[in-house]
Amino acid sequence: MQKEKILELKNEQEIITDSLWILGERSKDFGHKNAYHGNFIPQIPRQFIKRFTEENDVVVDAFLGSGTTLIECRELKRFGIGVELQESVIEMAKNIILQNNNGFFDNSFNLENFNLKIIQGDTASKKVFFEIENQLTNWKKKIKLLFLHPPYFDIIKFSDNKDDLSNAPNIEIFYEMMGKVIDNYLPLMEKGSHVVFVMGDKYQDSQWIPLSFGSMQEILKRKELILKSIIVKNISGNRAKISQEQLWRYRALTGGYFIFKHEYIFFFKKIK
Ligand SMILES: C[S@@+](CC[C@H](N)C(=O)[O-])C[C@H]1O[C@@H](n2cnc3c(N)ncnc32)[C@H](O)[C@@H]1O
């Protein structure tokens, strides 16, 4: 990284350099809305985009959902591509991304005005690969930063589509599907570029299932990638009602376990 950029970041107090992230309220800047169950807090893409890319670099979100990453791209002047399986979710994302200052969809804006593109399809498919490759060729660029915020296996069912990672028949197949996703993107990424992978764990049959570390191991089978950091982030903004908290506390005490209050952000660098 250039010396000037390091000095600039050093003075920017907002940039976090520790591996424990206790984030406060979900950011409502730039028209972000908390409209999609399973969205991530905008501070996640913002931290990585600001620190690891420059203006006009290409940022890709392989599981776009409600468009959080592309809103950040629009605002921070990065070229952005988002891939999402569900048509209806893409419509929602477009409405949020293309809103005017009053918070309403503005049909005089379009995604190209902001160097943004949304692709509908299975993020692990050849169709999606070729569409991204085509867009990158038009822009004469490669991917600088890739976000992976997939379903946390079957915790939230996002659709009935068999390609949806939340419908993986078992955990082994979920890990395999994750592997296919990363294989689809690596050839489109620059040497020295980065991957951000956000994932939580689950509790099932009285056991903690470490989905996050299982997926991380699958990703690390790709020798082009090295692990740079594992960040532990608090889960904020979805605090249960006090009565429910008491119920969870009772369940934890009787079941002999601890209640989930964190998730992970795995950060990789492409070295080849
Ligand atoms: C955890 S959400 C992502 C939320 C997003 N970060 C946001 O802030 O709104 C995961 C998304 O991945 C989508 N998805 C699941 N499997 C997919 C696949 N094979 N290809 C593309 N999208 C997929 C789901 O429809 C869902 O919208």
Side-chain angles (χ1 to χ4, degrees):
M1 195 181 284
Q2 283 182 346
K3 207 173 161 195
E4 284 161 20
K5 171 103 178 169
I6 293 171
L7 288 177
E8 180 196 312
L9 291 170
K10 190 164 170 273
N11 293 327
E12 208 169 319
Q13 292 306 319
E14 194 202 17
I15 297 291
I16 309 171
T17 46
D18 297 336
S19 66
L20 177 62
W21 288 16
I22 310 289
L23 300 179
E25 286 278 285
R26 165 180 292 276
S27 164
K28 295 194 180 75
D29 306 341
F30 315 151
H32 282 292
K33 291 192 168 66
N34 190 7
Y36 191 48
H37 188 41
N39 61 1
F40 58 23
I41 177 166
Q43 290 92 319
I44 294 178
R46 190 173 308 160
Q47 285 286 331
F48 288 99
I49 292 173
K50 280 191 162 181
R51 185 160 165 202
F52 295 101
T53 66
E54 303 293 334
E55 275 190 19
N56 301 325
D57 280 347
V58 178
V59 175
V60 174
D61 191 327
F63 299 89
L64 183 68
S66 58
T68 314
T69 302
L70 290 193
I71 294 172
E72 290 296 312
C73 288
R74 185 197 70 200
E75 224 38 55
L76 299 170
K77 301 188 170 52
R78 269 53 169 186
F79 285 52
I81 300 174
V83 180
E84 170 57 50
L85 197 57
Q86 298 183 71
E87 204 74 70
S88 58
V89 176
I90 290 179
E91 276 315 299
M92 180 206 330
K94 273 191 196 157
N95 281 336
I96 303 175
I97 298 163
L98 298 176
Q99 61 191 314
N100 59 25
N101 291 336
N102 300 322
F104 292 109
F105 174 70
D106 188 331
N107 59 12
S108 65
F109 293 166
N110 61 52
L111 291 172
E112 292 94 88
N113 297 147
F114 299 104
N115 296 310
L116 301 176
K117 180 160 180 83
I118 299 182
I119 295 170
Q120 196 258 321
D122 172 15
T123 202
S125 65
K126 277 288 150 222
K127 169 198 167 280
V128 165
F129 174 89
F130 289 126
E131 280 192 54
I132 300 177
E133 190 185 44
N134 201 16
Q135 184 61 69
L136 291 171
T137 308
N138 287 346
W139 285 339
K140 300 190 178 61
K141 290 172 191 282
K142 286 191 116 182
I143 301 173
K144 259 291 170 57
L145 184 60
L146 173 68
F147 286 95
L148 302 172
H149 184 215
Y152 299 178
F153 183 34
D154 56 359
I155 298 179
I156 301 176
K157 286 266 175 204
F158 284 95
S159 71
D160 293 331
N161 191 314
K162 68 168 181 29
D163 297 325
D164 183 329
L165 270 79
S166 65
N167 292 322
N170 58 49
I171 293 176
E172 281 67 38
I173 296 180
F174 175 77
Y175 295 150
E176 258 173 48
M177 287 168 97
M178 273 311 302
K180 286 187 182 143
V181 174
I182 192 83
D183 287 339
N184 217 22
Y185 285 87
L186 281 176
L188 303 169
M189 300 186 66
E190 238 178 73
K191 184 177 169 193
S193 60
H194 293 95
V195 179
V196 176
F197 170 54
V198 185
M199 176 62 60
D201 293 338
K202 70 174 271 190
Y203 203 71
Q204 189 183 307
D205 301 332
S206 305
Q207 290 180 61
W208 187 293
I209 314 288
L211 295 175
S212 50
F213 285 90
S215 319
M216 177 200 75
Q217 299 286 17
E218 183 64 42
I219 293 174
L220 277 177
K221 287 184 190 161
R222 279 74 196 164
K223 296 296 169 213
E224 299 101 308
L225 291 175
I226 56 166
L227 181 65
K228 293 288 288 185
S229 285
I230 299 177
I231 295 161
V232 177
K233 177 197 148 287
N234 66 325
I235 306 176
S236 65
N238 47 1
R239 284 179 61 80
K241 289 197 191 103
I242 293 182
S243 60
Q244 280 181 340
E245 282 199 0
Q246 285 307 321
L247 181 62
W248 282 114
R249 185 171 160 77
Y250 179 76
R251 284 185 182 155
L253 288 168
T254 47
Y257 67 90
F258 294 86
I259 303 162
F260 289 104
K261 286 288 167 187
H262 70 279
E263 57 189 358
Y264 297 97
I265 303 174
F266 297 91
F267 184 55
F268 306 90
K269 182 171 186 170
K270 186 171 187 258
I271 50 162
K272 288 184 193 161

